[in-house]
Amino acid sequence: MRTKFKAWTKPYIDEHPEVMISDDFLQAHPSPYFLEIGSGKGKFLYDMAFAHPDQFFVGVERNVTCAGIAAKKIVEGEITNAKLLFTNADEVLDKINDQSIKAIFLNFSDPWPKKRHHKRRLTAISYLRQYDRILIRGGQLFVKTDNDDLYAYSLETLAQSPLQIIEKLDDYDGRADFDMTTEYELAFREKGQKIHRIVAQKND
Ligand SMILES: C[S@@+](CC[C@H](N)C(=O)[O-])C[C@H]1O[C@@H](n2cnc3c(N)ncnc32)[C@H](O)[C@@H]1O
């Protein structure tokens, strides 16, 4: 499902600072918030922010077309409790304050199938250590994927990390309370593919 480049998206991003933020904004944000890495076209971010107006959501997306489409959804939906960073997560994770995130969502992250690329997976141990640093106590990491190999890999890396796996579902029905269906998830469910879900928690 490659996203076709849309030339309007970069100017749109530049013209909408009310939704497009920088890491300075995160450092100044007064209370813990929710973080989605790889927001795609923003359906999950929009739906979560709409359903939970008392919570604050930040999406990170590195693809210009996806980030622009997500930004447009948020602006046109007049959603004020969701913001976006147009960047690679690698550029921003270091700059997020310790214990400032209530939960991190990794929805259908790129599976990077080649072994030499596994360190780029968003559940590689180097990322999990960062998540452990930025999550509040009791904060959670939510992983959803259709990819069997990424699911198995994530369970292994999580077992080696400071985070504790509190739920793993091979065949998630999509009905958890604090969740929304993503664009990729809709497409996979239509094809009858199983969705896997992991919830891990920071305990100390
Ligand atoms: C397979 S898509 C899933 C999109 C959406 N989460 C969904 O479930 O419909 C993965 C998205 O993550 C973004 N992405 C992958 N690695 C990223 C990274 N390191 N930083 C920011 N975005 C990333 C990609 O550009 C892409 O839009």
Side-chain angles (χ1 to χ4, degrees), residues 36 38-40 60-63 66 87-89 107-108 110 122 182-184:
E36 184 189 21
S39 304
V60 182
E61 175 51 57
R62 68 177 177 194
N63 177 286
C66 289
T87 186
N88 191 314
N107 291 319
F108 301 87
D110 295 340
L122 289 173
T182 79
E183 275 113 1
Y184 271 65

Short mmCIF file of all heavy atoms in Angstrom, two decimals, residues 36 38-40 60-63 66 87-89 107-108 110 122 182-184, ligand 1:
data_model
loop_
_atom_site.label_atom_id
_atom_site.label_comp_id
_atom_site.label_asym_id
_atom_site.label_seq_id
_atom_site.Cartn_x
_atom_site.Cartn_y
_atom_site.Cartn_z
N GLU A 36 1.92 8.48 19.07
CA GLU A 36 1.83 7.44 18.03
C GLU A 36 3.01 7.61 17.09
O GLU A 36 3.24 8.71 16.56
CB GLU A 36 0.52 7.56 17.22
CG GLU A 36 0.39 6.43 16.22
CD GLU A 36 -0.77 6.57 15.22
OE1 GLU A 36 -1.25 7.71 15.02
OE2 GLU A 36 -1.15 5.56 14.62
N GLY A 38 4.60 6.72 13.53
CA GLY A 38 4.20 6.20 12.21
C GLY A 38 2.70 6.32 12.04
O GLY A 38 2.01 5.33 11.84
N SER A 39 2.21 7.55 12.10
CA SER A 39 0.75 7.81 12.10
C SER A 39 0.08 7.60 10.76
O SER A 39 -1.15 7.63 10.69
CB SER A 39 0.48 9.25 12.53
OG SER A 39 1.06 9.50 13.76
N GLY A 40 0.87 7.46 9.70
CA GLY A 40 0.28 7.29 8.37
C GLY A 40 -0.62 8.48 8.04
O GLY A 40 -0.26 9.64 8.29
N VAL A 60 3.87 11.06 15.09
CA VAL A 60 5.14 11.29 14.38
C VAL A 60 5.04 10.56 13.05
O VAL A 60 4.75 9.35 13.03
CB VAL A 60 6.34 10.76 15.19
CG1 VAL A 60 7.65 11.06 14.47
CG2 VAL A 60 6.35 11.32 16.59
N GLU A 61 5.28 11.27 11.97
CA GLU A 61 5.20 10.65 10.64
C GLU A 61 6.28 11.24 9.74
O GLU A 61 6.38 12.46 9.63
CB GLU A 61 3.79 10.88 10.05
CG GLU A 61 3.60 10.38 8.63
CD GLU A 61 4.03 8.92 8.42
OE1 GLU A 61 3.52 8.03 9.13
OE2 GLU A 61 4.90 8.68 7.57
N ARG A 62 7.04 10.38 9.09
CA ARG A 62 8.17 10.88 8.30
C ARG A 62 7.85 11.04 6.82
O ARG A 62 8.64 11.64 6.07
CB ARG A 62 9.37 9.98 8.47
CG ARG A 62 9.18 8.62 7.86
CD ARG A 62 10.41 7.80 7.97
NE ARG A 62 10.16 6.48 7.44
CZ ARG A 62 10.95 5.45 7.63
NH1 ARG A 62 12.03 5.58 8.34
NH2 ARG A 62 10.67 4.29 7.09
N ASN A 63 6.73 10.47 6.38
CA ASN A 63 6.38 10.56 4.96
C ASN A 63 5.56 11.82 4.72
O ASN A 63 4.52 12.02 5.35
CB ASN A 63 5.58 9.30 4.57
CG ASN A 63 5.11 9.35 3.13
OD1 ASN A 63 4.18 10.07 2.80
ND2 ASN A 63 5.75 8.60 2.27
N CYS A 66 1.79 11.37 3.69
CA CYS A 66 0.98 10.89 4.82
C CYS A 66 0.82 12.00 5.86
O CYS A 66 -0.31 12.25 6.35
CB CYS A 66 1.64 9.69 5.47
SG CYS A 66 1.57 8.22 4.45
N THR A 87 8.60 14.19 10.87
CA THR A 87 10.02 13.84 11.03
C THR A 87 10.15 12.33 11.24
O THR A 87 9.15 11.64 11.44
CB THR A 87 10.63 14.59 12.24
OG1 THR A 87 12.03 14.35 12.30
CG2 THR A 87 10.01 14.17 13.57
N ASN A 88 11.39 11.88 11.20
CA ASN A 88 11.68 10.50 11.56
C ASN A 88 11.71 10.39 13.09
O ASN A 88 12.29 11.27 13.75
CB ASN A 88 13.05 10.12 10.99
CG ASN A 88 13.31 8.63 11.08
OD1 ASN A 88 13.09 8.00 12.12
ND2 ASN A 88 13.78 8.07 9.99
N ALA A 89 11.12 9.35 13.63
CA ALA A 89 11.12 9.16 15.09
C ALA A 89 12.54 9.23 15.66
O ALA A 89 12.74 9.71 16.78
CB ALA A 89 10.48 7.82 15.44
N ASN A 107 1.35 1.27 15.34
CA ASN A 107 0.28 0.63 14.57
C ASN A 107 0.80 0.24 13.19
O ASN A 107 1.12 1.09 12.37
CB ASN A 107 -0.90 1.59 14.42
CG ASN A 107 -1.61 1.83 15.74
OD1 ASN A 107 -1.81 0.90 16.52
ND2 ASN A 107 -1.99 3.08 16.00
N PHE A 108 0.92 -1.05 12.98
CA PHE A 108 1.32 -1.59 11.67
C PHE A 108 2.63 -0.96 11.18
O PHE A 108 2.74 -0.49 10.05
CB PHE A 108 0.15 -1.44 10.67
CG PHE A 108 -1.05 -2.16 11.19
CD1 PHE A 108 -1.94 -1.53 12.05
CD2 PHE A 108 -1.22 -3.51 10.93
CE1 PHE A 108 -2.99 -2.23 12.63
CE2 PHE A 108 -2.27 -4.21 11.51
CZ PHE A 108 -3.17 -3.57 12.36
N ASP A 110 6.42 -0.53 9.88
CA ASP A 110 7.09 -1.19 8.75
C ASP A 110 7.80 -2.44 9.27
O ASP A 110 8.53 -2.38 10.27
CB ASP A 110 8.11 -0.23 8.11
CG ASP A 110 7.41 0.97 7.48
OD1 ASP A 110 6.20 0.88 7.21
OD2 ASP A 110 8.07 2.01 7.29
N LEU A 122 10.69 -0.67 14.78
CA LEU A 122 10.37 0.22 15.91
C LEU A 122 10.23 -0.52 17.23
O LEU A 122 10.06 0.10 18.27
CB LEU A 122 9.10 1.04 15.60
CG LEU A 122 9.29 2.12 14.52
CD1 LEU A 122 7.96 2.75 14.14
CD2 LEU A 122 10.27 3.20 14.97
N THR A 182 -7.05 1.41 12.45
CA THR A 182 -6.21 2.27 11.60
C THR A 182 -6.52 1.98 10.12
O THR A 182 -7.22 1.02 9.80
CB THR A 182 -4.70 2.00 11.85
OG1 THR A 182 -4.33 0.80 11.17
CG2 THR A 182 -4.38 1.88 13.32
N GLU A 183 -5.94 2.80 9.25
CA GLU A 183 -6.16 2.57 7.80
C GLU A 183 -5.66 1.19 7.37
O GLU A 183 -6.36 0.46 6.68
CB GLU A 183 -5.41 3.63 6.97
CG GLU A 183 -6.16 4.91 6.77
CD GLU A 183 -5.50 6.08 7.49
OE1 GLU A 183 -4.44 5.89 8.12
OE2 GLU A 183 -6.06 7.19 7.41
N TYR A 184 -4.44 0.86 7.78
CA TYR A 184 -3.90 -0.45 7.39
C TYR A 184 -4.72 -1.58 7.99
O TYR A 184 -4.95 -2.60 7.35
CB TYR A 184 -2.43 -0.56 7.83
CG TYR A 184 -1.46 -0.06 6.79
CD1 TYR A 184 -1.43 1.27 6.42
CD2 TYR A 184 -0.57 -0.94 6.15
CE1 TYR A 184 -0.56 1.74 5.45
CE2 TYR A 184 0.31 -0.48 5.18
CZ TYR A 184 0.32 0.85 4.84
OH TYR A 184 1.18 1.31 3.88
C1 LIG B 1 2.70 0.65 7.29
S1 LIG B 1 2.35 2.31 7.60
C2 LIG B 1 1.06 2.26 8.84
C3 LIG B 1 0.33 3.56 8.95
C4 LIG B 1 -0.72 3.63 10.07
N1 LIG B 1 -0.10 3.52 11.37
C5 LIG B 1 -1.79 2.57 9.91
O1 LIG B 1 -1.81 1.63 10.71
O2 LIG B 1 -2.61 2.71 8.99
C6 LIG B 1 3.77 2.77 8.57
C7 LIG B 1 3.91 4.29 8.65
O3 LIG B 1 4.95 4.58 9.57
C8 LIG B 1 5.79 5.59 9.04
N2 LIG B 1 7.11 5.38 9.67
C9 LIG B 1 7.85 4.25 9.60
N3 LIG B 1 8.99 4.40 10.30
C10 LIG B 1 8.94 5.65 10.83
C11 LIG B 1 9.83 6.39 11.65
N4 LIG B 1 11.00 5.88 12.04
N5 LIG B 1 9.48 7.66 12.00
C12 LIG B 1 8.30 8.19 11.58
N6 LIG B 1 7.42 7.54 10.80
C13 LIG B 1 7.73 6.28 10.43
C14 LIG B 1 5.76 5.35 7.54
O4 LIG B 1 6.10 6.52 6.81
C15 LIG B 1 4.30 4.94 7.33
O5 LIG B 1 3.46 6.04 7.10
#
